[in-house]
Amino acid sequence: MSKALDGVKILDFTHVQSGPTCTQLLAWFGADVIKVERAGEGDATRGQLRDVPDADSLYFTMLNHNKRSITLDTKNPKGKEVLETLVKQCDVLVENFAPGALDRMGFTWERINELNPRMIVASVKGFGPGPYEDCKVYENVAQCAGGSASTTGFDDGPPMVTGAQIGDSGTGLHLALGIVAALYQRNTTGRGQKVLAAMQDSVLNLCRVKLRDQQRLDRTGVMKEYPQFPDTPFTGTVPRAGNASGGGQPGSILKCKGWETDANAYIYFITQAPVWGAICKVIGREGWITDKDYATPAARLPRLKSIFATIEEWTMTKTKFEAMDILNKFDIPCGPILSMKEIAEEPALRATGTVVEVDHPTRGKYLTVGNPIKMSDSATEVTRSPLLGEHTEEVLAQLGYDADYIATLRAEKVI
């Protein structure tokens, strides 16, 4: 079966998480991703958080599947010549260097465009143009600067970052879409272009509902679906809303049987208006169906805390899975709080390729995420991450270099 991005060559100058997320996704769709690394060192994450001695870490392996690795000293004139050849023969260059690093290497946009007018140069940066564009950014910084942290947590506590890597991996996903769009546009224009995904911008895009709420708050001074209503006055900024839903359907995380000893014995429960009657029957509160204080969504808003407390009295008599089985029969929206251990052991996720087991020559078998995007005509096969420089000679031969010259490059430690 052909792959969606068969024939597309990616020159991968990325490291750590944001860029590798992007290029791994492109590799899953069939692009030939050539990861350029420094000889003897490679991507910094190869050795970070290592759990198996002398083997690439899970941090590296889980972000670099389906790629080829070459080592190259780009400061050496011969290494620079190889890099120029790669630029000429590839379709996309992806980088997440510090601002200006690519220019200092001698590969400005103008030089790249001169070598290959069809080349797409895609970059992850912490901030877009503005007062912070030269600042170095990591995951949690992006969450803070993008609006996520200020709106995450409970109103009586500090701002909180989320465990989801929305700054790094979220930006990588945005950049991948930008690259695919640029490749599509190139079919019409014949030209490459620059593609930028700033981490602050990407986090904000994922937090758009909070920007929505800021404008609503500016206009009305109150947000009735937030847990602060009606007891706590609203200030001028969107407050932290705990586990309240981000939409118009009130929701909350409720305890289930076993919560005293199991940190994840909880369920997310949404009091959706169309199934309100079913909710009342399930929890034994049929009287609420016609009671004027509970019969309509507007009437329920000031009483949400007590409503969820009553629902929780019911959920605490059931395990999260027993509650799911009962609630799903009535189309009541809910979801179990699944631990990473439960996710790792879930057979359905293995069957769909969302979680896959990969065999690695030095670390053995390990679990990783598979492609979250499923396409009927472009199936994804997750192959292991490359060893450092594993494909150097193979790639150089494909670029047209003969064996003697490759041996010279190795002898001179260019590769």
Side-chain angles (χ1 to χ4, degrees):
M1 181 182 291
S2 65
K3 301 293 179 68
L5 296 180
D6 274 348
V8 174
K9 287 187 177 295
I10 309 290
L11 182 53
D12 184 0
F13 263 109
T14 69
H15 56 284
V16 191
Q17 185 178 168
S18 59
T21 296
C22 168
T23 52
Q24 178 171 262
L25 192 60
L26 300 173
W28 280 339
F29 287 131
D32 178 13
V33 176
I34 302 169
K35 185 177 180 73
V36 181
E37 302 185 74
R38 189 177 301 175
E41 298 180 32
D43 190 314
T45 58
R46 284 185 182 270
Q48 286 183 7
L49 306 177
R50 184 175 274 155
D51 60 314
V52 176
D54 301 319
D56 289 331
S57 70
L58 286 168
Y59 197 1
F60 176 84
T61 58
M62 293 177 70
L63 286 160
N64 291 281
H65 294 106
N66 296 60
K67 302 178 185 180
R68 298 195 287 171
S69 169
I70 69 169
T71 53
L72 187 64
D73 180 1
T74 57
K75 295 180 180 179
N76 185 296
K78 290 180 180 177
K80 190 171 182 180
E81 175 208 327
V82 172
L83 180 52
E84 289 185 348
T85 303
L86 282 164
V87 169
K88 291 175 182 177
Q89 296 192 23
C90 288
D91 298 285
V92 185
L93 185 156
V94 190
E95 60 92 15
N96 62 335
F97 292 129
L102 203 59
D103 291 354
R104 292 190 292 273
M105 289 170 59
F107 287 88
T108 63
W109 165 248
E110 290 75 20
R111 177 56 178 155
I112 292 172
N113 198 242
E114 178 185 339
L115 292 168
N116 182 357
R118 291 175 57 83
M119 172 66 81
I120 293 160
V121 177
S123 304
V124 170
K125 292 292 177 275
F127 295 93
Y132 306 116
E133 62 183 303
D134 294 328
C135 295
K136 196 170 186 178
V137 174
Y138 288 93
E139 170 67 45
N140 289 351
V141 174
Q143 289 193 30
C144 293
S148 174
S150 71
T151 56
T152 302
F154 291 88
D155 61 353
D156 58 352
M160 294 286 290
V161 296
T162 173
Q165 303 292 283
I166 61 175
D168 277 324
S169 287
T171 304
L173 294 171
H174 282 90
L175 188 64
L177 175 58
I179 290 169
V180 172
L183 286 168
Y184 186 82
Q185 187 175 17
R186 194 180 69 176
N187 291 334
T188 302
T189 66
R191 300 191 306 274
Q193 61 181 296
K194 292 186 286 185
V195 180
L196 170 66
M199 295 173 72
Q200 181 187 40
D201 300 0
S202 298
V203 171
L204 177 57
N205 186 45
L206 297 174
C207 295
R208 68 180 71 180
V209 297
K210 299 301 183 180
L211 184 59
R212 171 203 68 190
D213 289 350
Q214 181 63 55
Q215 295 171 86
R216 294 172 54 229
L217 183 60
D218 289 342
R219 187 166 290 112
T220 67
V222 66
M223 291 184 293
K224 295 182 179 180
E225 78 286 357
Y226 271 57
Q228 286 78 4
F229 178 80
D231 304 318
T232 306
F234 287 86
T235 62
T237 60
V238 173
R240 291 182 274 285
N243 292 314
S245 172
Q249 305 293 338
S252 186
I253 290 180
L254 307 179
K255 297 172 183 174
C256 291
K257 181 188 288 186
W259 68 272
E260 298 92 341
T261 56
D262 182 354
N264 295 295
Y266 291 81
I267 191 170
Y268 198 88
F269 193 109
I270 297 176
T271 56
Q272 188 182 32
V275 292
W276 175 246
I279 293 171
C280 296
K281 292 177 182 177
V282 166
I283 66 173
R285 294 282 178 157
E286 289 90 341
W288 282 359
I289 297 174
T290 55
D291 188 323
K292 65 180 179 60
D293 289 336
Y294 297 91
T296 66
R300 291 192 290 273
L301 282 175
R303 299 171 176 82
L304 286 178
K305 290 178 184 176
S306 64
I307 288 172
F308 280 120
T310 301
I311 296 173
E312 189 173 57
E313 292 175 5
W314 178 83
T315 60
M316 288 172 64
T317 67
K318 308 285 187 292
T319 69
K320 59 189 176 185
F321 298 112
E322 290 171 343
M324 283 285 294
D325 288 342
I326 295 169
L327 298 172
N328 281 329
K329 292 176 183 177
F330 299 95
D331 292 328
I332 298 169
C334 57
I337 308 305
L338 295 180
S339 69
M340 281 297 156
K341 183 173 178 62
E342 289 170 319
I343 288 172
E345 296 173 352
E346 172 54 56
L349 295 178
R350 302 286 189 97
T352 60
T354 300
V355 174
V356 296
E357 186 176 73
V358 178
D359 199 3
H360 190 276
T362 57
R363 69 171 299 110
K365 293 182 178 180
Y366 65 95
L367 291 183
T368 188
V369 296
N371 193 343
I373 303 168
K374 311 300 192 286
M375 297 174 65
S376 62
D377 276 3
S378 185
T380 298
E381 299 170 14
V382 177
T383 61
R384 68 167 175 85
S385 60
L387 302 176
L388 179 60
E390 180 178 353
H391 304 94
T392 301
E393 295 188 13
E394 174 184 277
V395 170
L396 291 179
Q398 291 173 350
L399 291 175
Y401 294 100
D402 62 35
D404 289 339
Y405 190 68
I406 294 172
T408 299
L409 294 176
R410 189 167 294 284
E412 297 179 6
K413 298 183 178 180
V414 177
I415 59 175

